[in-house]
Coordinates of all heavy atoms in Angstrom, one line a residue:
M171 N -4.2 -7.7 -9.8 CA -4.7 -7.6 -11.2 C -4.7 -6.1 -11.5 O -5.2 -5.3 -10.8 CB -6.1 -8.2 -11.2 CG -6.8 -8.2 -12.6 SD -6.0 -9.5 -13.5 CE -6.8 -9.2 -15.1
T172 N -4.0 -5.8 -12.5 CA -4.0 -4.4 -12.9 C -4.9 -4.2 -14.0 O -5.4 -5.0 -14.8 CB -2.6 -4.0 -13.6 OG1 -2.2 -4.9 -14.5 CG2 -1.5 -4.0 -12.4
A173 N -5.4 -2.9 -14.2 CA -6.4 -2.6 -15.2 C -5.8 -1.4 -16.1 O -5.1 -0.6 -15.6 CB -7.6 -2.1 -14.6
I174 N -6.1 -1.5 -17.3 CA -5.7 -0.3 -18.2 C -6.6 0.8 -17.9 O -7.8 0.7 -17.7 CB -5.9 -0.8 -19.7 CG1 -5.0 -2.1 -20.0 CG2 -5.5 0.4 -20.6 CD1 -3.5 -1.9 -19.7
I175 N -6.0 2.0 -17.9 CA -6.7 3.2 -17.5 C -7.7 3.5 -18.6 O -7.3 3.4 -19.9 CB -5.8 4.3 -17.1 CG1 -6.6 5.4 -16.4 CG2 -5.0 4.9 -18.3 CD1 -5.6 6.4 -15.7
S176 N -8.9 4.0 -18.4 CA -9.8 4.5 -19.4 C -9.7 6.0 -19.6 O -9.1 6.7 -18.8 CB -11.2 4.2 -19.1 OG -11.6 5.0 -18.0
E177 N -10.1 6.5 -20.8 CA -10.1 7.9 -21.0 C -10.9 8.7 -19.9 O -10.3 9.8 -19.6 CB -10.9 8.2 -22.4 CG -10.1 7.7 -23.6 CD -8.7 8.4 -23.7 OE1 -8.7 9.7 -23.5 OE2 -7.7 7.8 -24.1
E178 N -12.0 8.1 -19.5 CA -12.7 8.8 -18.4 C -11.9 8.9 -17.1 O -11.8 9.9 -16.5 CB -13.9 8.0 -18.2 CG -15.0 8.7 -17.3 CD -15.4 10.1 -17.8 OE1 -15.5 10.2 -19.0 OE2 -15.6 11.0 -17.0
Q179 N -11.2 7.8 -16.8 CA -10.3 7.8 -15.6 C -9.1 8.8 -15.8 O -8.8 9.5 -14.8 CB -9.8 6.4 -15.3 CG -10.9 5.5 -14.8 CD -10.6 4.1 -14.9 OE1 -9.9 3.6 -15.8 NE2 -11.2 3.3 -14.0
V180 N -8.6 8.9 -17.0 CA -7.5 9.8 -17.2 C -7.9 11.3 -16.9 O -7.3 12.1 -16.3 CB -7.0 9.7 -18.7 CG1 -6.1 10.9 -19.0 CG2 -6.2 8.4 -18.9
K181 N -9.2 11.5 -17.5 CA -9.8 12.8 -17.4 C -9.9 13.2 -15.9 O -9.6 14.3 -15.4 CB -11.1 12.9 -18.1 CG -11.5 14.2 -18.5 CD -12.8 14.2 -19.4 CE -13.6 15.4 -19.2 NZ -15.1 15.2 -19.2
K182 N -10.5 12.2 -15.1 CA -10.8 12.5 -13.7 C -9.5 12.8 -12.9 O -9.4 13.6 -12.1 CB -11.5 11.2 -13.1 CG -13.0 11.3 -13.2 CD -13.6 10.2 -12.4 CE -15.1 10.2 -12.7 NZ -15.7 8.8 -12.4
L183 N -8.5 11.9 -13.2 CA -7.2 12.1 -12.5 C -6.6 13.5 -12.8 O -6.1 14.2 -11.9 CB -6.3 11.0 -12.8 CG -6.5 9.7 -12.2 CD1 -5.6 8.6 -12.8 CD2 -6.2 9.8 -10.6
R184 N -6.6 13.8 -14.1 CA -6.0 15.2 -14.4 C -6.8 16.3 -13.9 O -6.2 17.3 -13.6 CB -6.0 15.2 -16.1 CG -4.8 14.3 -16.6 CD -4.7 14.4 -18.0 NE -3.5 13.6 -18.4 CZ -3.3 13.1 -19.6 NH1 -4.2 13.3 -20.5 NH2 -2.2 12.4 -19.9
E185 N -8.1 16.1 -13.8 CA -8.9 17.2 -13.1 C -8.6 17.3 -11.7 O -8.7 18.4 -11.1 CB -10.5 16.8 -13.3 CG -11.0 17.2 -14.6 CD -12.4 16.7 -14.8 OE1 -12.9 16.0 -13.9 OE2 -12.9 16.9 -16.0
A186 N -8.1 16.2 -11.1 CA -7.6 16.3 -9.7 C -6.1 16.6 -9.6 O -5.5 16.4 -8.5 CB -7.8 14.9 -9.1
N187 N -5.5 17.1 -10.8 CA -4.1 17.5 -10.8 C -3.2 16.4 -10.6 O -2.1 16.6 -10.1 CB -3.9 18.7 -9.8 CG -4.5 20.0 -10.3 OD1 -4.5 20.3 -11.5 ND2 -5.1 20.7 -9.4
V188 N -3.6 15.2 -11.0 CA -2.6 14.1 -11.1 C -2.1 14.0 -12.3 O -2.8 13.8 -13.4 CB -3.4 12.7 -10.6 CG1 -2.3 11.6 -10.8 CG2 -3.9 12.8 -9.2
A189 N -0.7 13.9 -12.6 CA 0.0 13.8 -13.7 C -0.2 12.3 -14.2 O 0.2 11.5 -13.5 CB 1.4 14.1 -13.7
V190 N -0.7 12.1 -15.4 CA -0.9 10.8 -15.9 C -0.2 10.6 -17.3 O -0.4 11.4 -18.1 CB -2.5 10.5 -16.3 CG1 -2.7 9.0 -16.6 CG2 -3.3 10.8 -14.9
P191 N 0.7 9.6 -17.4 CA 1.4 9.5 -18.6 C 0.5 8.9 -19.7 O -0.6 8.3 -19.5 CB 2.5 8.4 -18.3 CG 2.0 7.7 -17.1 CD 1.1 8.6 -16.3
D192 N 0.9 9.1 -20.9 CA 0.2 8.8 -22.1 C 1.1 8.1 -23.1 O 2.3 8.4 -23.2 CB -0.5 10.0 -22.8 CG -1.2 9.6 -24.1 OD1 -2.2 9.0 -24.1 OD2 -0.6 9.9 -25.1
V193 N 0.6 7.0 -23.7 CA 1.4 6.4 -24.8 C 0.7 6.5 -26.2 O -0.5 6.3 -26.3 CB 1.6 4.8 -24.5 CG1 2.4 4.2 -25.7 CG2 2.2 4.6 -23.3
N194 N 1.3 7.1 -27.1 CA 0.6 7.3 -28.4 C 0.8 6.1 -29.4 O 1.6 5.2 -29.0 CB 1.0 8.7 -29.1 CG 2.5 8.7 -29.5 OD1 3.1 7.7 -30.0 ND2 3.2 9.9 -29.4
E195 N 0.2 6.3 -30.5 CA 0.2 5.1 -31.4 C 1.5 4.8 -32.2 O 1.6 3.9 -33.0 CB -1.0 5.3 -32.4 CG -0.8 6.4 -33.5 CD -1.0 7.9 -32.8 OE1 -1.4 7.9 -31.7 OE2 -0.8 8.8 -33.6
T196 N 2.5 5.7 -31.9 CA 3.8 5.4 -32.6 C 4.6 4.3 -31.9 O 5.6 4.0 -32.3 CB 4.7 6.7 -32.7 OG1 4.9 7.2 -31.3 CG2 3.9 7.8 -33.5
C197 N 4.1 3.9 -30.7 CA 4.7 2.8 -29.9 C 5.1 1.6 -30.8 O 4.3 1.1 -31.7 CB 3.8 2.3 -28.8 SG 4.3 0.8 -28.0
I198 N 6.2 1.1 -30.7 CA 6.7 -0.1 -31.5 C 6.8 -1.3 -30.7 O 7.3 -2.3 -31.1 CB 8.1 0.1 -32.3 CG1 9.1 0.5 -31.2 CG2 7.9 1.3 -33.3 CD1 10.6 0.6 -31.8
W199 N 6.2 -1.3 -29.5 CA 6.1 -2.6 -28.7 C 7.4 -3.2 -28.3 O 7.6 -4.4 -28.3 CB 5.3 -3.6 -29.5 CG 4.2 -4.4 -28.8 CD1 3.1 -3.9 -28.2 CD2 4.1 -5.8 -28.6 NE1 2.3 -4.8 -27.7 CE2 3.0 -6.1 -27.9 CE3 5.0 -7.0 -28.9 CZ2 2.5 -7.4 -27.5 CZ3 4.6 -8.2 -28.5 CH2 3.4 -8.4 -27.9
C200 N 8.4 -2.2 -28.1 CA 9.8 -2.8 -27.7 C 9.8 -3.3 -26.3 O 10.8 -4.0 -26.0 CB 10.7 -1.7 -27.9 SG 10.7 -0.4 -26.7
S201 N 8.9 -2.9 -25.5 CA 8.8 -3.3 -24.0 C 9.7 -2.6 -23.0 O 9.8 -3.0 -21.9 CB 8.9 -4.8 -23.9 OG 10.2 -5.3 -23.9
A202 N 10.6 -1.6 -23.6 CA 11.5 -1.0 -22.7 C 10.8 -0.3 -21.5 O 11.2 -0.4 -20.3 CB 12.3 0.1 -23.5
C203 N 9.7 0.3 -21.7 CA 8.9 1.0 -20.7 C 8.4 0.1 -19.7 O 8.4 0.3 -18.5 CB 7.8 1.9 -21.2 SG 6.6 0.9 -22.3
V204 N 8.0 -1.2 -20.1 CA 7.5 -2.2 -19.2 C 8.6 -2.7 -18.3 O 8.4 -2.9 -17.1 CB 6.8 -3.3 -20.0 CG1 6.3 -4.3 -19.0 CG2 5.6 -2.8 -20.9
A205 N 9.8 -2.9 -18.9 CA 11.0 -3.2 -18.1 C 11.3 -2.2 -17.1 O 11.7 -2.6 -16.0 CB 12.1 -3.5 -19.1
I206 N 11.3 -1.0 -17.4 CA 11.7 0.1 -16.5 C 10.7 0.4 -15.4 O 10.9 0.6 -14.3 CB 12.1 1.3 -17.3 CG1 13.3 1.0 -18.2 CG2 12.3 2.5 -16.4 CD1 13.6 2.1 -19.2
S207 N 9.4 0.4 -15.9 CA 8.3 0.9 -15.1 C 7.1 -0.1 -15.2 O 6.0 0.3 -15.6 CB 7.9 2.4 -15.5 OG 6.9 2.9 -14.7
P208 N 7.3 -1.4 -14.7 CA 6.3 -2.3 -14.8 C 4.9 -2.1 -14.0 O 4.0 -2.7 -14.4 CB 7.0 -3.6 -14.2 CG 8.0 -3.0 -13.3 CD 8.4 -1.8 -13.9
D209 N 5.1 -1.1 -13.1 CA 3.8 -0.8 -12.4 C 2.9 0.1 -13.1 O 1.7 0.3 -12.8 CB 4.1 -0.2 -11.0 CG 4.8 -1.2 -10.1 OD1 4.5 -2.4 -10.2 OD2 5.5 -0.7 -9.1
V210 N 3.5 0.7 -14.2 CA 2.7 1.6 -14.9 C 2.3 1.2 -16.3 O 1.3 1.6 -16.9 CB 3.5 3.1 -15.0 CG1 2.8 4.0 -15.9 CG2 3.6 3.6 -13.6
F211 N 3.3 0.5 -17.0 CA 3.1 0.2 -18.4 C 2.9 -1.3 -18.6 O 3.4 -2.2 -17.9 CB 4.3 0.7 -19.2 CG 4.5 2.1 -19.2 CD1 5.5 2.6 -18.4 CD2 3.8 3.0 -20.0 CE1 5.7 4.0 -18.3 CE2 3.9 4.3 -19.9 CZ 4.9 4.8 -19.0
E212 N 2.0 -1.6 -19.6 CA 1.6 -3.0 -19.8 C 1.5 -3.2 -21.4 O 0.9 -2.3 -22.0 CB 0.3 -3.2 -19.2 CG 0.0 -4.7 -18.8 CD -1.2 -4.8 -18.0 OE1 -1.2 -4.5 -16.8 OE2 -2.3 -5.2 -18.5
L213 N 1.9 -4.2 -21.9 CA 1.8 -4.4 -23.4 C 0.4 -5.0 -23.7 O 0.1 -6.0 -23.0 CB 3.0 -5.3 -24.0 CG 4.3 -4.7 -23.9 CD1 5.4 -5.7 -24.4 CD2 4.4 -3.4 -24.5
N214 N -0.2 -4.5 -24.7 CA -1.5 -5.1 -25.0 C -1.4 -6.0 -26.2 O -0.3 -6.1 -26.7 CB -2.7 -4.1 -25.2 CG -2.5 -3.2 -26.4 OD1 -1.7 -3.6 -27.4 ND2 -3.1 -2.1 -26.4
D215 N -2.5 -6.5 -26.7 CA -2.5 -7.5 -27.8 C -2.5 -6.8 -29.2 O -2.4 -7.4 -30.1 CB -3.7 -8.4 -27.8 CG -3.8 -9.2 -26.6 OD1 -2.8 -9.4 -26.0 OD2 -4.8 -9.7 -26.2
E216 N -2.6 -5.4 -29.1 CA -2.6 -4.6 -30.4 C -1.2 -3.9 -30.6 O -1.3 -2.8 -31.2 CB -3.8 -3.7 -30.3 CG -5.1 -4.5 -30.3 CD -6.3 -3.7 -29.8 OE1 -6.2 -2.5 -29.5 OE2 -7.4 -4.2 -29.9
W217 N -0.2 -4.5 -30.1 CA 1.1 -3.9 -30.4 C 1.3 -2.5 -29.9 O 1.9 -1.7 -30.5 CB 1.4 -3.9 -31.9 CG 1.2 -5.3 -32.5 CD1 0.1 -5.9 -33.1 CD2 2.2 -6.4 -32.4 NE1 0.4 -7.1 -33.4 CE2 1.7 -7.6 -33.0 CE3 3.5 -6.6 -31.9 CZ2 2.3 -8.8 -33.1 CZ3 4.2 -7.8 -32.0 CH2 3.5 -8.9 -32.6
L218 N 0.7 -2.2 -28.7 CA 0.8 -1.0 -28.0 C 1.1 -1.1 -26.5 O 0.6 -2.1 -25.9 CB -0.5 -0.1 -28.2 CG -0.7 0.6 -29.5 CD1 -2.0 1.3 -29.4 CD2 0.3 1.6 -29.8
S219 N 1.8 -0.3 -25.9 CA 2.0 -0.2 -24.5 C 0.8 0.6 -24.0 O 0.5 1.7 -24.6 CB 3.4 0.4 -24.2 OG 3.3 0.7 -22.8
E220 N 0.3 0.2 -22.9 CA -0.8 1.0 -22.3 C -0.5 1.3 -20.9 O 0.3 0.6 -20.3 CB -2.1 0.2 -22.4 CG -2.6 0.0 -23.8 CD -4.0 -0.3 -23.8 OE1 -4.4 -1.5 -23.7 OE2 -4.8 0.6 -24.1
V221 N -1.2 2.3 -20.4 CA -0.9 2.8 -19.0 C -2.1 2.2 -18.0 O -3.2 2.2 -18.4 CB -1.0 4.4 -19.0 CG1 -1.0 4.9 -17.5 CG2 0.1 5.0 -19.8
T222 N -1.5 1.7 -16.9 CA -2.4 1.0 -15.9 C -3.1 2.1 -15.0 O -2.5 3.2 -14.9 CB -1.7 0.0 -15.1 OG1 -0.6 0.7 -14.4 CG2 -1.1 -1.0 -15.9
L223 N -4.2 1.8 -14.4 CA -4.8 2.7 -13.5 C -4.2 2.7 -12.1 O -4.0 1.6 -11.5 CB -6.3 2.2 -13.3 CG -7.2 3.0 -12.3 CD1 -7.3 4.5 -12.7 CD2 -8.5 2.4 -12.1
R224 N -3.8 3.7 -11.6 CA -3.1 4.1 -10.4 C -3.6 5.3 -9.7 O -4.2 6.2 -10.5 CB -1.7 4.2 -10.5 CG -0.9 3.0 -11.1 CD 0.5 3.3 -11.2 NE 1.2 3.6 -10.0 CZ 1.5 2.8 -9.0 NH1 1.5 1.5 -9.4 NH2 2.1 3.2 -7.9
D225 N -3.5 5.5 -8.4 CA -3.9 6.7 -7.8 C -3.0 7.9 -8.2 O -3.4 9.1 -8.3 CB -3.8 6.6 -6.3 CG -4.9 5.6 -5.8 OD1 -5.9 5.4 -6.5 OD2 -4.7 5.1 -4.7
N226 N -1.7 7.5 -8.4 CA -0.7 8.5 -8.9 C 0.5 7.8 -9.5 O 0.6 6.6 -9.4 CB -0.3 9.5 -7.8 CG 0.6 8.8 -6.9 OD1 1.7 8.5 -7.1 ND2 0.1 8.6 -5.6
Y227 N 1.3 8.5 -10.2 CA 2.3 7.9 -11.0 C 3.8 8.4 -10.6 O 4.7 8.3 -11.4 CB 2.1 8.2 -12.5 CG 0.8 7.5 -13.0 CD1 -0.4 8.2 -12.8 CD2 0.8 6.2 -13.5 CE1 -1.6 7.6 -13.1 CE2 -0.4 5.6 -13.9 CZ -1.6 6.3 -13.7 OH -2.8 5.7 -14.1
E228 N 3.8 8.8 -9.3 CA 5.1 9.3 -8.8 C 5.8 8.2 -8.2 O 5.3 7.2 -7.8 CB 4.8 10.3 -7.7 CG 4.2 11.6 -8.0 CD 3.6 12.4 -6.9 OE1 4.0 12.2 -5.8 OE2 2.7 13.2 -7.1
G229 N 7.1 8.3 -8.4 CA 8.0 7.3 -7.8 C 8.0 5.9 -8.6 O 8.3 4.8 -8.1
C230 N 7.5 6.0 -9.8 CA 7.4 4.7 -10.7 C 8.3 4.8 -11.9 O 8.1 3.9 -12.8 CB 5.9 4.6 -11.2 SG 4.6 4.5 -9.9
D231 N 9.3 5.6 -11.8 CA 10.3 5.6 -13.0 C 9.7 5.9 -14.3 O 10.2 5.6 -15.3 CB 11.1 4.4 -13.0 CG 11.8 4.0 -11.7 OD1 12.3 5.0 -11.1 OD2 11.9 2.8 -11.3
V232 N 8.6 6.7 -14.3 CA 8.0 7.1 -15.6 C 8.9 8.0 -16.5 O 9.0 7.8 -17.7 CB 6.7 7.8 -15.4 CG1 6.1 8.4 -16.7 CG2 5.6 6.9 -14.8
D233 N 9.6 8.9 -15.8 CA 10.5 9.7 -16.5 C 11.7 8.9 -17.2 O 12.2 9.3 -18.4 CB 11.1 10.8 -15.6 CG 10.2 11.9 -15.2 OD1 9.3 12.2 -16.1 OD2 10.3 12.5 -14.1
D234 N 12.1 7.9 -16.5 CA 13.1 6.9 -17.0 C 12.5 6.2 -18.3 O 13.2 6.0 -19.3 CB 13.7 6.0 -16.0 CG 14.5 6.6 -15.0 OD1 14.9 7.8 -15.2 OD2 14.7 6.0 -13.9
A235 N 11.3 5.8 -18.2 CA 10.7 5.2 -19.3 C 10.5 6.1 -20.5 O 10.8 5.7 -21.7 CB 9.3 4.6 -18.9
I236 N 10.2 7.4 -20.1 CA 10.0 8.3 -21.3 C 11.4 8.5 -22.0 O 11.4 8.5 -23.2 CB 9.6 9.7 -20.7 CG1 8.1 9.6 -20.3 CG2 9.8 10.9 -21.7 CD1 7.6 10.8 -19.5
A237 N 12.5 8.6 -21.1 CA 13.8 8.8 -21.8 C 14.2 7.6 -22.5 O 15.0 7.7 -23.6 CB 14.8 9.1 -20.7
A238 N 13.8 6.4 -22.2 CA 14.2 5.1 -22.8 C 13.4 4.8 -24.1 O 13.9 4.0 -24.9 CB 14.2 3.9 -21.8
C239 N 12.2 5.4 -24.2 CA 11.4 5.0 -25.4 C 12.1 5.4 -26.6 O 12.4 6.5 -26.8 CB 10.0 5.6 -25.2 SG 9.0 5.3 -26.6
P240 N 12.4 4.5 -27.6 CA 13.0 4.8 -28.8 C 12.3 5.6 -29.8 O 12.9 6.2 -30.6 CB 13.4 3.4 -29.3 CG 12.4 2.4 -28.8 CD 12.0 3.0 -27.5
V241 N 11.1 5.7 -29.6 CA 10.3 6.5 -30.6 C 9.5 7.7 -30.0 O 8.6 8.2 -30.5 CB 9.3 5.5 -31.4 CG1 10.0 4.6 -32.2 CG2 8.3 4.8 -30.4
D242 N 9.9 8.0 -28.8 CA 9.2 9.1 -28.0 C 7.7 9.0 -27.9 O 7.0 10.0 -28.1 CB 9.7 10.5 -28.6 CG 11.1 10.8 -28.4 OD1 11.7 10.3 -27.5 OD2 11.7 11.5 -29.2
A243 N 7.3 7.8 -27.7 CA 5.8 7.6 -27.7 C 5.2 7.9 -26.4 O 3.9 8.1 -26.3 CB 5.5 6.1 -28.1
I244 N 6.0 8.1 -25.3 CA 5.4 8.4 -24.0 C 5.5 9.8 -23.7 O 6.6 10.5 -23.8 CB 6.1 7.5 -23.0 CG1 6.2 6.0 -23.3 CG2 5.4 7.7 -21.6 CD1 7.2 5.2 -22.5
S245 N 4.6 10.4 -23.0 CA 4.6 11.7 -22.5 C 3.7 11.9 -21.3 O 2.9 11.0 -21.1 CB 4.2 12.8 -23.6 OG 2.8 12.6 -23.9
W246 N 3.8 13.0 -20.6 CA 3.0 13.3 -19.5 C 1.6 14.0 -20.0 O 0.7 14.2 -19.3 CB 3.7 14.2 -18.5 CG 4.6 13.5 -17.7 CD1 6.0 13.6 -17.7 CD2 4.4 12.5 -16.6 NE1 6.5 12.8 -16.7 CE2 5.6 12.1 -16.1 CE3 3.2 12.0 -16.0 CZ2 5.7 11.2 -15.0 CZ3 3.3 11.1 -14.9 CH2 4.5 10.7 -14.5
N247 N 1.6 14.4 -21.3 CA 0.4 15.0 -21.8 C -0.1 14.2 -22.9 O 0.6 13.9 -23.9 CB 0.8 16.4 -22.3 CG 1.4 17.2 -21.1 OD1 0.7 17.4 -20.1 ND2 2.6 17.6 -21.2
A248 N -1.5 14.0 -23.0 CA -2.1 13.3 -24.0 C -2.1 14.2 -25.3 O -2.1 15.5 -25.2 CB -3.5 12.9 -23.7
Ligands
LIG1192 S1 9.3 2.1 -24.7 FE1 8.1 3.2 -26.1 S2 8.1 1.9 -28.0 FE2 8.7 0.6 -26.3 S3 6.9 -0.4 -25.6 FE3 7.1 1.5 -24.4 S4 6.0 3.1 -25.5 FE4 6.2 1.4 -26.9

């Protein structure tokens, strides 16, 4: 069972120098990021992709998801 990361969890990970991806509200729910990086991205019921809680996001193809996003909604910085 995966969980969507909370703002507080993002803050804690970033304080520990863990790079955490962010999806902004320009997401058009195309699901490309979920197809490329299913361990990190999840589509919610509000037409947005969200980031799941993990210890780190290395080796999860996040850079490929960033490159594939048609609206540049994903970044490593909120
Ligand atoms: S690839 Fe971009 S637009 Fe498509 S679901 Fe992911 S964040 Fe949203």
Side-chain angles (χ1 to χ4, degrees):
M171 187 74 187
T172 54
I174 301 302
I175 195 166
S176 70
E177 287 298 320
E178 191 57 33
Q179 288 162 334
V180 170
K181 202 173 152 218
K182 271 190 190 154
L183 284 172
R184 285 184 174 155
E185 278 169 4
N187 289 320
V188 175
V190 183
D192 175 72
V193 178
N194 69 34
E195 70 286 351
T196 61
C197 168
I198 56 169
W199 225 64
C200 75
S201 82
C203 58
V204 179
I206 292 167
S207 185
D209 293 336
V210 172
F211 300 99
E212 206 171 284
L213 296 180
N214 71 15
D215 298 338
E216 294 165 357
W217 306 94
L218 280 177
S219 169
E220 293 198 279
V221 174
T222 58
L223 175 62
R224 300 179 56 85
D225 292 339
N226 70 71
Y227 297 84
E228 290 164 28
C230 298
D231 299 323
V232 173
D233 287 330
D234 289 346
I236 289 172
C239 178
V241 292
D242 291 334
I244 312 168
S245 68
W246 283 108
N247 301 298

